[in-house]
Amino acid sequence: MMIALEHYFLWFLFYSFVGWVYESILVSCQERRLVNRGFLNGPLCPIYGTGAVLGIAVLGNLHNPIIIFLISMVGATILEYTTSWVMEELFHARWWDYSNFRFNVQGRVCLLGAVIFGIAGVVIVLGAQPYVAQFTDLIPVPMLHTLVTVLALVTIIDLAVTVAGMLEFEQVLDSVTQTVQDVAARAGDTWQWGSSAVSDKMRELSQDTIERLRWTANGVINAQQKRMLKSFPKFQVPDRQDIIDSLRELMGPRR
């Protein structure tokens, strides 16, 4: 039983890594810059690993690709919607938004994503997983115990650091608002939030003031929060989106 759970954990990490590679390549191409797309600091997208492991556990004995496709499509859609809702409730922020896609549900899931996940379910269950399972079966038991223990500790620490860095982000945004307003006031100006307003304002301010604004914004936002803003272009905080857009502008390339 313990060995089976350890294998599932390794499969979770493997497919989380594959999901990270997929997401990072996709978003890097869209943004035309390298993006660490994972929620964690390490190269993992846990939602992919979770979906893959659940699919393997539920569908592992099925061989009909149509049934696997349909169940994977529905199951992954439920998982993605639930994950979006839980993360929004926990952090008061949304990491992705499909509102611009047709046939979406509250911007949390969309038909295109569901079809892609359905196809991925077939590829994993009927294609990749038999080889992945064979590989993990080759790992000697003592090495398996050590490997899982080390990787589990690293993953837990990464999760704790990430969650701690994102808590109370709304309060940090309030602090950023006041601090940047103070810097602008000392420069004899006022600051209007919003990405378009920032772009226009930055053309008017002196280079010294712009650098002080950038320094202030980067000093208040911690490393985890900066990474989330850069890694998730659709990252949203209700009633704070103008501040989020402005921070992205200030933390963007120097002009």
Side-chain angles (χ1 to χ4, degrees), residues 191-217:
W191 193 264
Q192 179 182 1
W193 288 106
S195 57
S196 60
V198 172
S199 298
D200 294 338
K201 183 68 70 177
M202 288 176 71
R203 297 188 184 96
E204 303 171 3
L205 297 176
S206 67
Q207 187 63 33
D208 179 63
T209 301
I210 292 174
E211 289 302 320
R212 276 188 289 157
L213 288 171
R214 281 202 175 102
W215 180 84
T216 300

Side-chain angles (χ1 to χ4, degrees), residues 29 32 48 54 61 85-86 141 148-149 166 169 197 225 238 241:
C29 292
R32 298 182 180 180
Y48 284 87
L54 288 175
N61 294 323
W85 181 83
V86 170
V141 173
V148 168
T149 299
M166 289 304 298
F169 189 39
Q225 295 157 358
Q241 199 55 39

Side-chain angles (χ1 to χ4, degrees), residues 123-144:
V123 172
I124 290 172
V125 174
L126 298 182
Q129 181 54 27
Y131 297 99
V132 174
Q134 288 178 10
F135 178 80
T136 52
D137 286 338
L138 295 175
I139 302 175
V141 173
M143 182 183 296
L144 177 67

Side-chain angles (χ1 to χ4, degrees), residues 85-142:
W85 181 83
V86 170
M87 292 180 71
E88 186 170 349
E89 289 296 309
L90 181 59
F91 300 107
H92 303 121
R94 181 177 290 192
W95 269 256
W96 61 86
D97 184 11
Y98 298 120
S99 296
N100 293 330
F101 288 76
R102 297 183 65 184
F103 308 111
N104 71 85
V105 179
Q106 297 178 357
R108 301 183 190 277
V109 295
C110 68
L111 180 59
L112 176 61
V115 171
I116 292 174
F117 289 137
I119 295 173
V122 176
V123 172
I124 290 172
V125 174
L126 298 182
Q129 181 54 27
Y131 297 99
V132 174
Q134 288 178 10
F135 178 80
T136 52
D137 286 338
L138 295 175
I139 302 175
V141 173

Side-chain angles (χ1 to χ4, degrees), residues 1-248:
M1 181 63 179
M2 179 59 68
I3 293 177
L5 291 176
E6 289 176 331
H7 282 169
Y8 271 106
F9 178 70
L10 291 182
W11 300 342
F12 163 78
L13 293 181
F14 172 74
Y15 289 112
S16 293
F17 173 74
V18 172
W20 175 84
V21 172
Y22 165 75
E23 286 275 342
S24 295
I25 291 175
L26 179 64
V27 178
S28 293
C29 292
Q30 292 174 342
E31 295 294 306
R32 298 182 180 180
R33 61 182 176 88
L34 292 177
V35 176
N36 172 10
R37 181 62 170 177
F39 173 73
L40 301 178
N41 292 284
L44 300 174
C45 281
I47 188 172
Y48 284 87
T50 302
V53 166
L54 288 175
I56 292 166
V58 174
L59 307 174
N61 294 323
L62 297 179
H63 302 284
N64 187 318
I66 296 178
I67 294 177
I68 294 174
F69 171 82
L70 292 174
I71 296 177
S72 297
M73 183 175 68
V74 174
T77 300
I78 294 173
L79 175 63
E80 185 174 31
Y81 185 95
T82 303
T83 301
S84 174
W85 181 83
V86 170
M87 292 180 71
E88 186 170 349
E89 289 296 309
L90 181 59
F91 300 107
H92 303 121
R94 181 177 290 192
W95 269 256
W96 61 86
D97 184 11
Y98 298 120
S99 296
N100 293 330
F101 288 76
R102 297 183 65 184
F103 308 111
N104 71 85
V105 179
Q106 297 178 357
R108 301 183 190 277
V109 295
C110 68
L111 180 59
L112 176 61
V115 171
I116 292 174
F117 289 137
I119 295 173
V122 176
V123 172
I124 290 172
V125 174
L126 298 182
Q129 181 54 27
Y131 297 99
V132 174
Q134 288 178 10
F135 178 80
T136 52
D137 286 338
L138 295 175
I139 302 175
V141 173
M143 182 183 296
L144 177 67
H145 295 333
T146 301
L147 181 63
V148 168
T149 299
V150 172
L151 292 177
L153 286 174
V154 171
T155 304
I156 291 171
I157 292 172
D158 193 349
L159 178 62
V161 170
T162 301
V163 171
M166 289 304 298
L167 290 177
E168 300 182 349
F169 189 39
E170 288 180 293
Q171 288 85 338
V172 171
L173 292 178
D174 290 337
S175 176
V176 170
T177 303
Q178 186 58 52
T179 303
V180 173
Q181 292 280 16
D182 292 342
V183 171
R186 287 197 295 271
D189 211 329
T190 58
W191 193 264
Q192 179 182 1
W193 288 106
S195 57
S196 60
V198 172
S199 298
D200 294 338
K201 183 68 70 177
M202 288 176 71
R203 297 188 184 96
E204 303 171 3
L205 297 176
S206 67
Q207 187 63 33
D208 179 63
T209 301
I210 292 174
E211 289 302 320
R212 276 188 289 157
L213 288 171
R214 281 202 175 102
W215 180 84
T216 300
N218 282 286
V220 176
I221 301 294
N222 67 40
Q224 297 297 329
Q225 295 157 358
K226 291 176 186 176
R227 186 173 66 80
M228 292 300 174
L229 291 175
K230 293 178 180 178
S231 299
F232 293 86
K234 300 295 185 180
F235 182 87
Q236 301 175 21
V237 178
D239 302 323
R240 301 287 201 287
Q241 199 55 39
D242 51 352
I243 307 176
I244 296 294
D245 292 340
S246 298
L247 284 173
R248 284 200 175 101

